[in-house]
Amino acid sequence: MLIASPQLSLKSDPNFTIDTAGISFIAPGANKTISVTYHPKAVGGHYTAYSFTIKDSKNPLLMLVVNGAAIAKLAVTKKLLVDTLHNSPLSFNDSTSGIRQLFKFFEQSGIQITLTGSDLRPSGNDILLLIAPQKNFTKQEIDSVKKFVTNGGLLVALGNASAEGNNAAALNSLLQDTSWTTNLALDSNLVVDSLNFYSDATSPMLTTFADAKHPYFSNVDTLVFFGSASVTVSGTAIPLITTSPNGKTIGGTNSVQPAVAGLSKIGKGKILLLGDADVWKAESANQQTPPNILIKDNLTFAINVFSVTEDYEVKLPNKTLNEKYQLVSIPFDLENSDITSVLKGLGAQNPLVWRLFGRYDPVTVKYAEFPNEKFKSFKRGESYWLITRGEFGLSLGNATIIPVQTFYPIKIGPGYSMVGNPFPYKVSWKNSLHDSTQNIIWKFVGETFKAESLALDPFVGYFVKNLSKDSITIYINPEDITNLKKSGYSAAAYNEGEWRIGISAVSGKSADEENFAGVAKGAKDEFDLYDVAEPPSSPTDYVIVRFQNNSWKEQSGSYAMDIRSISSEGVFWDFDVITAASQSRVALTLSQFGNFPNDFEMYVVDKTTERAMSLDQTYQYEFTMAKNESRRAFRLLAGKKEYVENNTQGIPLVAVDYALMQNYPNPFNPSTQIRYTVGHSGHVSLNVYNVLGQQVRTLANAIQPIGTYELEWDGKDNAGTTVSTGVYFYTITVKSNGERTFTQTKKLILIK
């Protein structure tokens, strides 16, 4: 019988979760599958254990040991050449060899591994790996290695502890050749032995990093070396890891320092010397414990050693767009993030040549524009609006690339924030940690925003909305992802009764394409997860389609996607089209998706022109903003005919023309009726004039909506005096938005 121990900790390592359903009791002879799920939140090796009690007097405790590894793919592909010519005592293919596992992780990380042929020619590779060589190097080989390093290559040399009966003569002869000075050598007399790490809690774990800020130690807290010989470090070489067991310093403190690892720069390249290749070798042949590479941070350190790229020149992947906004980000911690330095390729700041905006404030709905005292530098994880006159290929400066990362934290305030992919490759937004945020984020492509829910591309920016009232931290998953299917909101699957209307607007070089009204099962008439807030506009040139839902009790505001509950009678949405400037020409397109009811009609009403337009599958409507007009209001209706007619806000479904009818009777005495039709609401004036053009009577002088009206003239003037027999004229004038939209005059005759 298996019983879960009260001391069972399911959070001993947050990367692992275990299915505990049904394991509190297992009947004798029964089988039970225990499911362990691995959710890596940090790159590197992970190890945890769960304890269970068993009703067995001889073996009362059962231990479930779980280990796994998460590998980040390199942003820059590298070629690794492995030396097989100098009699390494370690077998690369041995199942207990940590070297074999190390190679497996390298391949997952994107490092291309090749073995030497008949001679040692490292040229054309990025890294040369020597694993405890026991055969001396020839002068030709030394010259080849020297040339490789001085031209920018990385030499990683692994020694082997003297306690294992091997010597460092061959490797030291290469390192100490008089034709170059590496300031590194193995010291076989100094050995730190931690082979009994699991059985002896007092065994030393090397945690003293001489240069802890070095990128090789990014996200590394502890290294566990097994049977490690020390490295002699002198001159300008760096002792990456020093050894001081029992609080005593081994060796001298002046020019020679004992170290498990040392780094020496030679020309444009580097040499990294590790004291012992057993650092990554399996502890024992039966593999009862994880191989050394999975213990503590050994794997993280190994990947960093072979994958870190220093002094990498960061370039914008594509040229800037001519006079079009781009939402950009820089997925690196640049050595110099000062905006003036990063954008030096654009020349001195000149708003006629380039402009940069960032640090969006959702309260004031404004961006900070460079130059600005509070906006002087770029920051990884942020994004910015950039617009240039002309196309520019930009070199942004240098950075150090460290592919081994934990989830990257980005702090955002309430409302929308401008964020960027912090990694130089495509990563998953879906698998990142972003509680309290809207699932849909916005990516700016060319001239319009696109809804995204799956991935984050490098060098581009996104708008992310924090739905809470407090600042939160989102964590971006560093896993490199490929072959993602294109995500598109309109391409979603629709259940019975579900449909969408897509609305897009284009004005000049600006567009707003992804806006949707519709209905769905489970949706509410106010805010729910189907609704997506409208992203902020670009700083100076934009067209916006938005559903204004200020009356909502929760998350009120502007929306790009407003999905309501399914109605058998009908539903309507009010939306605005906004442009950056008045008198802009706008092309509006409405498209239907999903299972639209057969008994429904669909109309869009232009509230400014007071015209209702019937929609088919796709409808296009063009209009020009009037003088001093930058916002046009619309209503979209879908429903049965009676519902639609009752919800047009008094605007007829069939367009009404202006008209002034002939009075009746005519001639008349003592009164006559005058009928007219207003085709568009506005200020209506109806006046009677004599043959001299003098105003006799004002019959109407007020704002009137669309409709047909009838007035009576009793033959009196404005003073109440009956006018004389004769010919008179009546004139109607309608003005909308300060402009005359209709005027007409007709004759009438008064006879006494």
Side-chain angles (χ1 to χ4, degrees), residues 517-739:
V519 298
K521 291 182 178 180
K524 301 176 182 179
D525 287 339
E526 292 198 3
F527 176 76
D528 55 39
L529 295 180
Y530 288 93
D531 303 313
V532 180
E534 176 72 24
S537 64
S538 60
T540 61
D541 185 17
Y542 53 81
V543 60
I544 301 171
V545 176
R546 70 179 186 186
F547 301 97
Q548 197 65 33
N549 295 315
N550 292 326
S551 63
W552 283 2
K553 295 179 181 179
E554 182 183 357
Q555 300 294 334
S556 61
S558 300
Y559 281 78
M561 302 179 191
D562 184 356
I563 308 302
R564 310 278 181 84
S565 60
I566 296 175
S567 170
S568 61
E569 295 300 316
V571 63
F572 69 81
W573 295 263
D574 290 315
F575 68 92
D576 296 333
V577 177
I578 303 170
T579 57
S582 61
Q583 297 182 303
S584 297
R585 184 69 176 169
V586 180
L588 200 63
T589 302
L590 296 96
S591 303
Q592 186 184 121
F593 305 95
N595 305 308
F596 193 72
N598 294 327
D599 58 347
F600 272 27
E601 296 179 355
M602 186 172 299
Y603 283 83
V604 64
V605 175
D606 184 333
K607 296 182 182 181
T608 298
T609 63
E610 295 182 318
R611 291 290 186 268
M613 295 150 283
S614 177
L615 304 185
D616 295 320
Q617 290 290 327
T618 301
Y619 181 84
Q620 293 184 330
Y621 176 58
E622 294 189 4
F623 64 93
T624 300
M625 293 287 191
K627 187 178 181 180
N628 299 323
E629 180 191 18
S630 59
R631 183 182 73 88
R632 179 72 63 93
F634 293 86
R635 173 166 287 192
L636 174 65
L637 301 105
K640 295 179 179 178
K641 186 174 183 179
E642 183 179 358
Y643 176 89
V644 173
E645 289 176 340
N646 292 335
N647 288 280
T648 62
Q649 295 183 311
I651 298 172
L653 297 180
V654 179
V656 176
D657 291 330
Y658 290 101
L660 179 62
M661 278 70 85
Q662 186 63 52
N663 66 302
Y664 64 93
N666 188 38
F668 72 94
N669 182 19
S671 65
T672 187
Q673 302 297 120
I674 300 174
R675 295 182 65 201
Y676 61 91
T677 298
V678 176
H680 184 285
S681 61
H683 186 273
V684 178
S685 60
L686 181 62
N687 297 292
V688 179
Y689 299 89
N690 60 26
V691 293
L692 298 178
Q694 297 169 325
Q695 187 185 85
V696 174
R697 180 72 177 271
T698 298
L699 298 176
N701 185 27
I703 295 175
Q704 295 180 341
I706 291 175
T708 299
Y709 301 85
E710 185 171 315
L711 298 175
E712 180 185 35
W713 183 37
D714 58 6
K716 296 179 180 180
D717 62 16
N718 287 330
T721 302
T722 301
V723 299
S724 59
T725 298
V727 176
Y728 294 86
F729 301 90
Y730 59 101
T731 299
I732 186 172
T733 300
V734 183
K735 291 184 178 180
S736 296
N737 297 321
E739 296 183 0

Side-chain angles (χ1 to χ4, degrees), residues 47 99 121 203 265 502 568 572 611 639:
Y47 172 89
I99 301 298
R121 295 183 180 180
S203 297
K265 293 184 178 181
S568 61
F572 69 81
R611 291 290 186 268

Side-chain angles (χ1 to χ4, degrees), residues 124-354:
N125 293 278
D126 300 291
I127 309 165
L128 172 61
L129 176 61
L130 306 179
I131 305 176
Q134 300 300 299
K135 176 183 176 182
N136 287 338
F137 292 82
T138 66
K139 183 180 184 306
Q140 183 179 1
E141 289 174 334
I142 293 175
D143 290 341
S144 179
V145 173
K146 174 186 174 183
K147 183 178 180 181
F148 167 73
V149 174
T150 55
N151 286 338
L154 170 64
L155 170 61
V156 179
L158 307 181
N160 212 0
S162 60
E164 296 177 314
N166 296 300
N167 63 72
L171 187 54
N172 280 346
S173 67
L174 170 67
L175 297 173
Q176 296 179 323
D177 186 82
T178 56
S179 64
W180 61 342
T181 303
T182 66
N183 299 317
L184 295 174
L186 286 178
D187 189 338
S188 59
N189 295 319
L190 303 174
V191 177
V192 178
D193 189 355
S194 54
L195 280 172
N196 298 319
F197 171 69
Y198 277 102
S199 60
D200 182 2
T202 63
S203 297
M205 294 189 301
L206 303 184
T207 59
T208 305
F209 305 149
D211 186 7
K213 294 183 180 180
H214 195 280
Y216 288 171
F217 297 116
S218 175
N219 299 310
V220 174
D221 298 313
T222 302
L223 295 178
V224 182
F225 286 88
F226 291 76
S228 299
S230 291
V231 175
T232 299
V233 177
S234 62
T236 58
I238 301 173
L240 291 179
I241 307 171
T242 59
T243 58
S244 301
N246 302 321
K248 297 180 180 179
T249 300
I250 301 175
T253 58
N254 296 321
S255 62
V256 177
Q257 297 174 323
V260 175
L263 182 72
S264 182
K265 293 184 178 181
I266 307 294
K268 297 180 180 180
K270 295 179 180 178
I271 297 177
L272 178 68
L273 179 59
L274 295 178
D276 195 351
D278 281 351
V279 61
W280 295 317
K281 186 178 179 182
E283 181 181 351
S284 60
N286 58 17
Q287 297 248 21
Q288 292 299 311
T289 59
N292 303 343
I293 194 168
L294 292 179
I295 295 176
K296 293 294 181 178
D297 294 314
N298 283 358
L299 176 58
T300 304
F301 177 63
I303 297 293
N304 283 0
V305 164
F306 290 88
S307 302
V308 166
T309 300
E310 298 182 78
D311 299 323
Y312 177 78
E313 183 182 4
V314 180
K315 295 182 179 180
L316 207 62
N318 302 302
K319 289 185 177 181
T320 62
L321 302 177
N322 180 37
E323 297 186 356
K324 283 188 177 183
Y325 277 102
Q326 292 178 262
L327 198 55
V328 301
S329 66
I330 303 176
F332 299 96
D333 291 313
L334 297 174
E335 293 177 3
N336 184 352
S337 61
D338 178 77
I339 292 175
T340 301
S341 175
V342 174
L343 299 182
K344 60 182 180 295
L346 297 176
Q349 201 284 324
N350 182 344
L352 298 179
V353 178
W354 63 274

